Each structure stands twice: as C-alpha cells, then as structure tokens.
Amino acid sequence: MGSSRILRNPLISDVINKDYSDFPNFEKLYLAMKKLFELDFSNSISIDNVTFKVMPKAWKQNKDDFIKNVSGKYYSTGQLTETDKIYSEILVDAFNRYPWRAAYFISAFMNIENKDYRTWSKNFFNTFYNKGSKFKGYSEKVIACFLQQGFENEEIIPIDTWIKTFYEYPLGISNMSDFFDSFDMLGKLERVIWLASPSNKTNMKNFFDMLWC
C-alpha cells in the first residue's frame, strides 16, 4: 500500500517556523510575498516599542500599474524570479485585481511571523487602530479580522460603516477609543450590531426596539 498524506490547512506553528513543506504552492506565494515585503515595506514605525515595517507610499489601484511598478520592475532587475512574479500577480488577481488589497494581506500575514497575534492585548490593538493612518500598506480592519477570526481574540472588533454608525448613534459614543473601552467581549457585541443594523434597515422594528430598551 502506498503512503497516504493527510490534507490540512497551515497552522500557526507552520507560520512561526516558516515551514511550508506540506504546502508547495503556498510556499511559492510566501517566498514572493517575503521578497515584496522586504523590498517595498522599507520604512519603520514603532508603537509601544513594537516596530512595524511600512510602505513609503501605497501601491496604485490597478494591476497594470502593479506589473509596471512592482512585479515587472523587480523581475527586470533580478530581485524577483519568474515564479515570484507569477505568484505575486496571482495574489493581486485573488483580490479582484486591486494591488492595495494584496498589500494588506501581505502586511497582515508577514507580521504573524515576528509579532504573533496571540500576544496582542486589547489596549495595544486600540493604540494600533488609532494610528492606522500612518501605516501605508496596512489595513487595521484586515488585521482586526485576523485577530478575531483567525486567533479567536474576542476583545477585537473590525470597524466598518455599520459598527461606526451604531456606536455613534444608538450608543451615543463619539469616538472609537471610547467604544473600545466601554465594552468587553467586543467580538460578541459585533454579532448583536450586525443583527440590529440590517434589521433596522429592513424595518424589523420590534427587534430594534428591544435593543433600545
């Protein structure tokens, strides 16, 4: 009988150890992302003595510009291999051909290696979120999703239009930091907000009245 191979998804241990031997296609993508992170995330910003690598300026919004200014440029100079170029462009395609979304994934993923998201506290994340505008090539909302969904951090909530509208109006909270500080288990609160906001939009008055009470 031939040997069988157990199919699984990458674990945090694989990421921390940089071992993708069980995932040959992802390993090719990882190597391309690692090179792009080293090449284009060349500036540094520190928060509470934790240093993040950021872009001097964000990638432009379409794939043609990405090929011209990033993948094609670095391939022509020998800084990316042909495989790196192909996989970096596949990543952009995966995000609806938006390079800036691919950059968000790269920054969120590459930071797992050295800044294990399991160690992020609610207070640190609050500070990180409030300084997000300084982080070119990052999305604090994307990292919030990583923390909450991938690392089961129940104190984290991604802020979108629905969440912002809810804490500003029904809850009467004027800013994001006060919202973070006002509640525990924000991940569970998010579920309530997502039930309430569309319900209000579709005139499910009884449910929304219960929240006001």
Side-chain angles (χ1 to χ4, degrees), residues 129 141 144 157-164 167 176 179-180:
Y129 219 122
K141 181 180 173 182
I157 185 170
I159 305 299
D160 59 13
T161 300
W162 287 109
I163 304 298
K164 187 173 186 293
Y167 74 67
M176 185 172 59
F179 172 57
F180 284 154

Side-chain angles (χ1 to χ4, degrees), residues 29-163:
L29 174 62
Y30 165 74
L31 292 172
M33 292 195 301
K34 184 175 185 292
K35 290 178 183 178
L36 291 174
F37 191 69
E38 292 169 349
L39 288 165
D40 273 8
F41 289 73
S42 55
N43 287 0
S44 297
I45 290 179
S46 293
I47 295 179
D48 294 347
N49 298 317
V50 177
T51 301
F52 292 86
K53 302 298 291 183
V54 302
M55 288 179 163
K57 60 180 180 180
W59 288 337
K60 293 186 178 180
Q61 294 190 14
N62 64 76
K63 185 180 177 182
D64 289 340
D65 281 322
F66 177 80
I67 293 172
K68 176 182 177 182
N69 299 314
V70 183
S71 62
K73 180 182 75 173
Y74 291 136
Y75 174 65
S76 68
T77 60
Q79 292 165 289
L80 293 182
T81 67
E82 183 177 6
T83 300
D84 296 330
K85 181 178 186 296
I86 290 169
Y87 273 80
S88 66
E89 291 167 12
I90 288 173
L91 182 65
V92 171
D93 286 338
F95 287 96
N96 203 27
R97 299 172 61 87
Y98 288 130
W100 49 276
R101 289 182 178 172
Y104 294 165
F105 177 77
I106 291 171
S107 60
F109 183 86
M110 296 305 297
N111 276 294
I112 298 174
E113 293 182 351
N114 302 313
K115 301 171 183 64
D116 187 345
Y117 292 144
R118 293 173 296 183
T119 67
W120 282 39
S121 68
K122 179 180 178 180
N123 287 338
F124 179 78
F125 180 73
N126 190 344
T127 304
F128 174 83
Y129 219 122
N130 276 290
K131 294 187 177 182
S133 61
K134 297 180 180 179
F135 282 67
K136 297 296 184 185
Y138 283 70
S139 166
E140 54 271 35
K141 181 180 173 182
V142 169
I143 291 184
C145 292
F146 266 59
L147 288 163
Q148 187 198 83
Q149 301 297 318
F151 293 86
E152 299 182 345
N153 191 329
E154 296 177 330
E155 294 295 344
I156 303 302
I157 185 170
I159 305 299
D160 59 13
T161 300
W162 287 109
I163 304 298

